[in-house]
Amino acid sequence: MTTLDHAKVSESRPNPPKSLITKLNMGTGMIVGIVFAEVMYFWGKSMWDRQEAVMENRILTLSMFAWCIGFLIGIGAFIGPFRWLIGKDLTDEEQLFLAGKGQGVSRYFRYCTDHKVVGIQYLVGVMVMLGAGGTMAMMIRTNLITPGSKWVNAEIYNSLVGLHGITMIVALIIVSTGPFGNFILPIMIGARDMAFPRLNALSWWLLFTAIPVLCSAWFFGGIPTGWTAYAPLSVQAGGGMNAFIVTIIIFAISSAIAGANITTTVVTMRAKGMKWNRVPIFVIGATISVAMAIPAFPSFMASQMMAAFDRTIGTHFYDAEFGGSGWLYAHLFWIMGHPEVYVILIPGVAILMEIAPVFARSPLFSYTTAVVGLAGIVGLSFLVWAHHMYISGWLPSLNGPFMVTTEMISIPTGLLFLVLLGTIWRGRPWMKLPMLGVYALLWNFLIGGITGIYLSDVPADDYLHGSMFVTAHFHYTLMGAALTGAIAGLAYWFPKMTGRMLDERSGYISFWLVQIGFQVLFLGMFAAGSQGQPRRVADYEQAFATSDLISTIGAYLVGIGMIVLLYSVVHSWRKGKIAPMNPWGAKTLEWTVPYPIYLENFHEAPVVTSDPYGYGRSEK
Amino acid sequence: MSTSTEHVMHHDAPEVVGRRERLGVRLIIVADGAFIFAMIFSYFYLRNLNVNNGWLPADGHTFTVSSGWLLALPFIIAAISHNFGQKRRESMGVLSIVTFVVLAIGLVMQWSQLSNMPFMLAEEGGFEGAYASMAFFLGGANLLHYVLGTFVALGIAIRTKRGSSTGTHETWRLRTAGSWFTWLAISAVACAITTSFAAV
Amino acid sequence: MSDQHEVVDLPPTPGERLRNAMKARDVRITMIFGVVITAFFVFIGLWFYPKFMPEIMSESMKRGKDVIVYFTVISAPIAGLVIAIALYTLFDRHHGDTPPEEAASFRTHTPIVFVWTLVSAIFCIVAIVWGLTEMNVNSEDATANAKTALVVEVTGSQWVWTFNYPELGVQSEQLNLPVDRPVEFRVHSVDVNHSFWPVQLGVKVDANDRVTTLAHTTPNVLGTIDIKCAELCGLYHAYMETQGKVMKEADFNSWVTAQGGHVA
């Protein structure tokens, strides 16, 4: 069976198999999901009719899980495992149907195993989440425009803070590895698909089920705990907290699956000749990041399960009266939480390291250094979690060691700067949209990194912890570095993913609005934090008025810029300029395939003979 | 276990696909391991802190130590029987049924342990303390492992019976399932050791 | 750096290579940029930033501020270098729809990687040693003052702070402290986590349910302290604040007496 035979098959419309699979799609999923949730809800009501918070939480939590399971059943996620169970594996036609062969747009609404479809699904999903999170950020800043504005009340404000936080964190975790890790990465390494296509679809649809659950938090009293959901506050919180817990558990499963899938793909499915030192740096970064999530996220899941048990059946993991401890939550949370910020950051930086050589027409400076830098960050990130707990009172004697490990992260981080600077040095930068991201990252990540050193230092953290300074710091790293990288990646790979160029003029306008607004917003917030404004406050004193007003103005600029970007993406996707196969003259494999990309990516399996950074004059 | 699209989507040899699936399952085991580790960490963390002397209240009840080990036993037997079977394929027919039956018994035992917890507070309907909470949680994780293990064992038993369990590819799958059963046994033993340290 | 300026005969020594590299026009301009930007950041750190800090009313607060100020100064050269290089490359931009001409093909340069790593390691060690020293001074102060310290039990509850002076028999919702006397805050909570933050004193510690955590400091300036909660603690977290006063010993004693307490 050669690949050419397949090409012929793909042109003729195949006969879809006459099995249940063909009948299922997102609509059936939603119907079954809603039915499951309703049945669970009313059954729960009849079982536990007492009007107690514990019972309410129990019913809500179970109903939310029922929705997720029902949806997955309804969309056909369990058909594969079930058919395996009864010993009737899926037939070739069914596999092809699942891969979306000859289905047009409808495959985006099915349980489709094609990695390119999953990539687009992730892209749209991430954009929706960023839009929702961004809108909430605008509302937060609007409320903080003047002291005592009372634009929203404290309850809604706290919910906004929590929902903005968790929506953005989830969105940023998948913002690079979701769309580009699924769509681009397999083509980049010359693979025909992901290692586990069905798991790939599962990871996306699991995440999809979590989105309505998270949104439902609004109707059950919001998430009044911030995204960190510290216990015992989270145990005390109202019904919206259940939504948070279910979302996190679903998301942890989804990211473990996606992590195992991407890692396996990269380890076992690289094209012939693609040795480890010829793998594009984005692939290395994305793999490292998702592989890091595999051991990190389960501890978050455990922490949320404990919170769920505390809330629904009366256990005492976090209740000090019965021997529980809030510190336990903080440990479990930050053991996940600190690797997690690098899960967010590393793919963003890796995208820009992929972009810099293309637009400076110069090889990636010191590939080994880049890999060592990324690996060093990963290694250290598992040893630093308690720097979030300097002032928690838990074993102050360990603050010293954690300070040492935390500050050591500045060394591998510095290596990443060296790689980027070495790459653009003596190059002639081609000022396209993606390249602008490299410069934005250098500035933003510099500020984020240096302020991180202040916070890692115990005497300074004694003052700054829990203040707006911290908020500004991590927005500089997560938004200024990781999101900038992802947007640059979108501009860079947009031609490959949609077949059209991203509109340049609106792209530039958006870039400058967002970046300038971002500086105004968060430099103002640094000032507010230094003055002593705690984070997550619905109201503040006159002393902070100027800093907060400046921040809010910056936030509106960012907001307008993001709307322009959204316009740019939607407009270009529909009627942008048709893109040539390789508009940037790049040398990675994804630019060797024409749009629309053939179902199995390559007509003939590519063979790699060098790394993809062979730019530059060959004088030597 | 996870996918079988290779007939169409991948043109790779069964060994290649088999290694790939094994790596994927091992990565999932890493994730599950991190989860179990987080629970064991929590167990000893709360036990050492013993906030408000609430780990095990003065009149508190515990699971018997032996019950923890008894519940690890089916996993161990299942791991041995499956791994033995996948090496000697002629005995797989019987051994796959043994594996399934043992795990199903374990599932029932675990369920009955969790439905007869000695440390529930009668009036409030809550748990006695942090030990009780942790023991319940560890038992719950065990239950989840039993469900997943039983599912896989049932599938293997049916497939062996139907004869769909032949060929190189299936051999690799049985080996991969072997890693999974071995891990289940290891994690059950780890949980049993953990719950052996009940009182402070 | 590239060695395009050398003449072939003898292999140049490292010193010569460095000197040659320094003569390159781009290196010189970058250096000038770097110096200017460094000076800018030093200015920010020494003069501009401290303006945003509230009044400094204790040694611990001063240490925290010093760390920030001096870390800014120390990291200024790094920031200067990074921004200077990035800025310099922007002088020769390329526009249009076709890629620019290829740049020099230099893939790596071991001495530079080595020096960069070494320098950043040195910066890192300086930061670590500095931080550990300051932290040690803080905790040594605390130990030295343990006997003489005024004990204040701080209770966080949703959403008020209460202060109890067990040695003086006073309970109050206002925190009054005598100047120049060491104080030990014993902090706990009766519900969810709070974080006790007397802003101008530069210390902070979480309030946990049924666990007592400690914070030590010595207020050394008369004035008002803002007390805030730095850990999200529910609905009125933003309003969980009060004010305290650092007062003269005599004023403090008369306040204690007025509250029905006894002066030790």
Side-chain angles (χ1 to χ4, degrees):
Chain A
M1 165 157 43
T2 66
T3 43
L4 284 174
D5 290 341
H6 265 275
K8 281 185 203 130
V9 174
S10 73
E11 280 153 25
S12 64
R13 205 177 160 76
N15 296 325
K18 292 185 175 51
S19 75
L20 182 62
I21 290 180
T22 58
K23 307 283 189 303
L24 301 176
N25 57 30
M26 210 169 108
T28 55
M30 286 182 146
I31 293 168
V32 179
I34 290 169
V35 168
F36 267 52
E38 292 289 322
V39 168
M40 183 66 230
Y41 185 78
F42 289 109
W43 181 74
K45 279 274 176 204
S46 66
M47 282 281 289
W48 307 295
D49 58 346
R50 279 187 290 167
Q51 294 292 313
E52 281 176 38
V54 172
M55 301 301 168
E56 288 288 320
N57 290 334
R58 191 181 298 177
I59 295 167
L60 274 180
T61 308
L62 288 175
S63 307
M64 286 167 185
F65 275 120
W67 144 260
C68 299
I69 293 168
F71 181 88
L72 290 177
I73 290 174
I75 202 171
F78 299 127
I79 285 182
F82 180 72
R83 293 280 291 274
W84 174 84
L85 180 78
I86 59 174
K88 283 165 132 184
D89 288 337
L90 295 174
T91 63
D92 286 4
E93 288 79 35
E94 287 167 332
Q95 306 267 18
L96 272 180
F97 182 84
L98 278 181
K101 187 159 247 180
Q103 284 166 32
V105 181
S106 77
R107 70 189 193 277
Y108 291 100
F109 302 96
R110 287 180 191 276
Y111 193 74
C112 182
T113 57
D114 184 4
H115 71 98
K116 297 181 283 295
V117 174
V118 175
I120 296 291
Q121 287 167 333
Y122 264 112
L123 179 63
V124 175
V126 161
M127 279 167 51
V128 169
M129 289 169 82
L130 288 175
T135 312
M136 289 185 267
M138 291 303 122
M139 292 162 79
I140 292 171
R141 283 317 316 176
T142 304
N143 193 49
L144 294 179
I145 196 162
T146 55
S149 79
K150 301 267 166 57
W151 187 66
V152 293
N153 64 32
E155 190 185 352
I156 295 178
Y157 180 86
N158 287 352
S159 292
L160 279 172
V161 170
L163 268 168
H164 162 74
I166 194 62
T167 311
M168 285 307 206
I169 290 285
V170 170
L172 283 180
I173 287 171
I174 59 176
V175 74
S176 302
T177 45
F180 313 129
N182 279 303
F183 194 111
I184 300 291
L185 180 140
I187 315 179
M188 243 177 166
I189 61 170
R192 281 182 288 253
D193 199 331
M194 299 290 270
F196 307 116
R198 286 213 311 270
L199 283 188
N200 204 19
L202 181 64
S203 82
W204 156 251
W205 287 111
L206 266 173
L207 188 72
F208 178 84
T209 62
I211 293 174
V213 171
L214 190 58
C215 295
S216 76
W218 273 119
F219 305 103
F220 303 119
I223 298 171
T225 57
W227 86 275
T228 49
Y230 261 29
L233 183 62
S234 68
V235 178
Q236 186 193 58
M241 207 60 218
N242 302 316
F244 180 93
I245 288 169
V246 174
T247 304
I248 295 303
I249 293 174
I250 300 286
F251 180 62
I253 298 172
S254 159
S255 59
I257 290 172
N261 197 357
I262 292 180
T263 311
T264 310
T265 307
V266 174
V267 172
T268 63
M269 297 179 70
R270 297 192 310 283
K272 202 171 173 206
M274 188 180 273
K275 299 179 195 152
W276 278 112
N277 58 2
R278 291 176 184 165
V279 179
I281 196 72
F282 168 66
V283 175
I284 298 270
T287 312
I288 280 183
S289 125
V290 294
M292 183 158 67
I294 295 174
F297 282 23
S299 106
F300 194 15
M301 181 164 147
S303 76
Q304 293 308 319
M305 286 181 144
M306 293 182 192
F309 289 142
D310 270 11
R311 292 169 55 83
T312 57
I313 55 173
T315 55
H316 306 290
F317 294 106
Y318 305 133
D319 182 353
E321 191 186 344
F322 295 93
S325 167
W327 288 337
L328 172 65
Y329 181 84
H331 279 297
L332 291 175
F333 181 81
W334 289 117
I335 287 173
M336 175 290 299
H338 210 80
E340 175 258 9
V341 301
Y342 291 106
V343 170
I344 293 176
L345 185 72
I346 284 177
V349 178
I351 286 177
L352 292 171
M353 292 203 285
E354 193 66 52
I355 287 172
V358 178
F359 291 84
R361 308 312 290 180
S362 144
L364 184 73
F365 180 77
S366 194
Y367 182 87
T368 322
T369 308
V371 175
V372 169
L374 294 174
I377 290 178
V378 172
L380 283 172
S381 72
F382 281 96
L383 304 173
V384 300
W385 79 90
H387 67 216
H388 297 271
M389 298 171 68
Y390 283 156
I391 61 140
S392 71
W394 170 77
L395 285 190
S397 53
L398 282 185
N399 285 356
F402 276 107
M403 189 165 108
V404 173
T405 52
T406 307
E407 292 190 355
M408 273 165 62
I409 287 197
S410 67
I411 299 173
T413 312
L415 293 180
L416 301 185
F417 276 98
L418 176 66
V419 171
L420 281 173
L421 290 174
T423 307
I424 59 175
W425 174 245
R426 288 185 177 158
R428 203 175 158 211
W430 184 16
M431 299 312 281
K432 289 288 183 187
L433 266 177
M435 189 59 172
L436 294 178
V438 175
Y439 288 93
L441 172 103
L442 284 173
W443 168 259
N444 292 339
F445 196 22
L446 188 73
I447 305 287
I450 290 175
T451 50
I453 300 179
Y454 307 160
L455 291 170
S456 71
D457 190 279
V458 178
D461 190 59
D462 273 349
Y463 179 69
L464 294 173
H465 184 100
S467 74
M468 280 294 195
F469 194 94
V470 177
T471 314
H473 156 70
F474 73 73
H475 277 88
Y476 256 96
T477 54
L478 298 190
M479 185 179 172
L483 185 60
T484 301
I487 292 176
L490 179 65
Y492 179 62
W493 282 307
F494 199 79
K496 196 48 65 186
M497 293 174 81
T498 66
R500 292 168 189 273
M501 303 297 287
L502 190 66
D503 181 49
E504 287 211 326
R505 212 164 62 95
S506 47
Y508 286 131
I509 295 173
S510 147
F511 174 84
W512 286 110
L513 278 173
V514 168
Q515 290 300 333
I516 291 172
F518 178 80
Q519 310 303 329
V520 174
L521 163 55
F522 290 109
L523 289 176
M525 203 178 274
F526 275 129
S530 306
Q531 287 169 309
Q533 181 181 352
R535 63 193 281 204
R536 296 165 170 161
V537 288
D539 201 351
Y540 54 90
E541 289 143 43
Q542 196 58 43
F544 314 123
T546 317
S547 319
D548 276 273
L549 180 64
I550 291 173
S551 280
T552 302
I553 293 169
Y556 288 156
L557 286 180
V558 175
I560 297 168
M562 287 297 183
I563 291 172
V564 175
L565 180 68
L566 180 67
Y567 162 79
S568 178
V569 169
V570 173
H571 175 78
S572 313
W573 205 326
R574 292 175 58 213
K575 31 182 127 148
K577 207 170 65 179
I578 300 289
M581 191 164 87
N582 188 358
W584 318 119
K587 304 197 175 187
T588 35
L589 284 176
E590 79 270 27
W591 302 106
T592 63
V593 294
Y595 185 89
I597 302 167
Y598 164 61
L599 182 61
E600 292 199 303
N601 301 342
F602 299 95
H603 283 281
E604 278 178 45
V607 176
V608 177
T609 52
S610 69
D611 79 1
Y613 302 115
Y615 301 100
R617 300 183 298 269
S618 47
E619 344 181 279
K620 292 178 186 173
Chain B
M1 281 179 307
S2 31
T3 175
S4 57
T5 50
E6 80 284 350
H7 306 298
V8 182
M9 295 302 294
H10 306 302
H11 315 274
D12 304 304
E15 287 78 20
V16 176
V17 177
R19 289 213 178 83
R20 188 179 294 158
E21 291 186 350
R22 186 175 61 179
L23 177 62
V25 168
R26 286 185 177 173
L27 288 168
I28 296 288
I29 290 176
V30 169
D32 195 33
F35 184 73
I36 299 288
F37 173 79
M39 287 199 297
I40 295 175
F41 167 84
S42 309
Y43 186 98
F44 287 108
Y45 188 78
L46 289 180
R47 182 172 175 272
N48 280 9
L49 276 184
N50 193 15
V51 184
N52 201 28
N53 281 321
W55 169 252
L56 197 57
D59 51 348
H61 303 76
T62 62
F63 283 141
T64 56
V65 172
S66 56
S67 71
W69 287 96
L70 197 62
L71 282 162
L73 198 60
F75 281 127
I76 299 170
I77 298 172
I80 293 171
S81 107
H82 177 85
N83 281 313
F84 190 81
Q86 60 100 350
K87 288 213 178 67
R88 275 169 226 194
R89 293 290 290 282
E90 66 279 2
S91 53
M92 197 63 199
V94 181
L95 285 178
S96 63
I97 294 172
V98 171
T99 312
F100 168 67
V101 170
V102 166
L103 285 173
I105 293 171
L107 180 62
V108 174
M109 276 159 60
Q110 184 65 62
W111 181 262
S112 87
Q113 187 204 32
L114 288 181
S115 25
N116 301 305
M117 288 181 290
F119 37 62
M120 301 303 290
L121 295 173
E123 315 87 68
E124 297 94 335
F127 287 68
E128 273 177 4
Y131 163 82
S133 313
M134 272 323 306
F136 166 75
F137 193 17
L138 284 164
N142 240 6
L143 185 72
L144 189 69
H145 275 176
Y146 270 119
V147 172
L148 293 174
T150 314
F151 177 84
V152 174
L154 177 63
I156 291 172
I158 293 176
R159 293 170 73 86
T160 314
K161 186 87 177 35
R162 284 182 161 234
S164 39
S165 153
T166 51
T168 329
H169 186 239
E170 201 66 22
T171 309
W172 272 96
R173 282 194 171 170
L174 290 178
R175 283 174 68 177
T176 309
S179 322
W180 175 246
F181 284 125
T182 310
W183 156 247
L184 291 186
I186 292 170
S187 88
V189 169
C191 291
I193 293 173
T194 306
T195 44
S196 302
F197 297 91
V200 179
Chain C
M1 307 281 146
S2 114
D3 36 13
Q4 56 193 348
H5 290 270
E6 13 164 315
V7 196
V8 196
D9 295 333
L10 282 171
T13 64
E16 279 169 5
R17 286 172 61 125
L18 185 65
R19 245 168 283 141
N20 283 337
M22 286 305 193
K23 278 183 202 145
R25 184 168 164 275
D26 48 6
V27 176
R28 288 193 163 180
I29 295 178
T30 309
M31 294 291 243
I32 294 170
F33 277 3
V35 171
V36 173
I37 296 162
T38 305
F40 172 73
F41 274 98
V42 170
F43 167 77
I44 298 256
L46 285 180
W47 184 82
F48 190 71
Y49 182 79
K51 292 196 165 226
F52 288 99
M53 299 285 278
E55 196 186 355
I56 290 166
M57 291 173 64
S58 78
E59 276 299 309
S60 11
M61 178 68 173
K62 187 165 175 306
R63 282 184 208 118
K65 190 211 86 173
D66 285 352
V67 165
I68 300 173
V69 167
Y70 293 122
F71 276 18
T72 313
V73 173
I74 294 172
S75 44
I78 298 180
L81 183 65
V82 170
I83 297 167
I85 292 176
L87 269 186
Y88 182 79
T89 61
L90 284 176
F91 273 113
D92 192 13
R93 298 189 297 275
H94 172 84
H95 294 278
D97 282 337
T98 47
E101 75 271 27
E102 300 287 298
S105 168
F106 86 118
R107 289 207 159 232
T108 187
H109 193 285
T110 315
I112 288 195
V113 174
F114 181 75
V115 169
W116 181 282
T117 316
L118 190 72
V119 170
S120 62
I122 291 171
F123 275 103
C124 175
I125 289 170
V126 169
I128 289 173
V129 171
W130 191 308
L132 286 178
T133 317
E134 298 268 302
M135 205 174 86
N136 250 1
V137 176
N138 270 349
S139 56
E140 272 168 19
D141 280 6
T143 333
N145 297 331
K147 291 213 176 96
T148 55
L150 170 71
V151 174
V152 182
E153 288 177 359
V154 181
T155 307
S157 54
Q158 288 171 322
W159 292 274
V160 280
W161 293 110
T162 42
F163 306 97
N164 183 24
Y165 301 73
E167 296 156 350
L168 312 177
V170 171
Q171 187 151 10
S172 156
E173 293 212 352
Q174 162 132 14
L175 176 69
N176 283 352
L177 296 172
V179 73
D180 287 331
R181 168 137 184 230
V183 50
E184 174 174 296
F185 296 110
R186 296 185 183 163
V187 184
H188 79 279
S189 153
V190 293
D191 36 51
V192 301
N193 288 7
H194 304 274
S195 192
F196 174 64
W197 186 16
V199 177
Q200 284 83 353
L201 298 184
V203 290
K204 186 182 290 145
V205 72
D206 277 4
N208 299 282
D209 189 11
R210 285 185 174 76
V211 183
T212 301
T213 48
L214 302 178
H216 301 91
T217 185
T218 310
N220 54 12
V221 176
L222 297 176
T224 312
I225 318 166
D226 296 312
I227 292 152
K228 297 181 190 297
C229 174
E231 183 64 66
L232 181 58
C233 57
L235 191 54
Y236 293 117
H237 164 60
Y239 304 99
M240 187 170 167
E241 53 186 12
T242 177
Q243 292 209 317
K245 272 207 170 63
V246 179
M247 38 178 66
K248 293 200 186 102
E249 180 100 44
D251 293 346
F252 178 74
N253 288 344
S254 54
W255 174 75
V256 169
T257 325
Q259 297 284 313
H262 48 86
V263 180

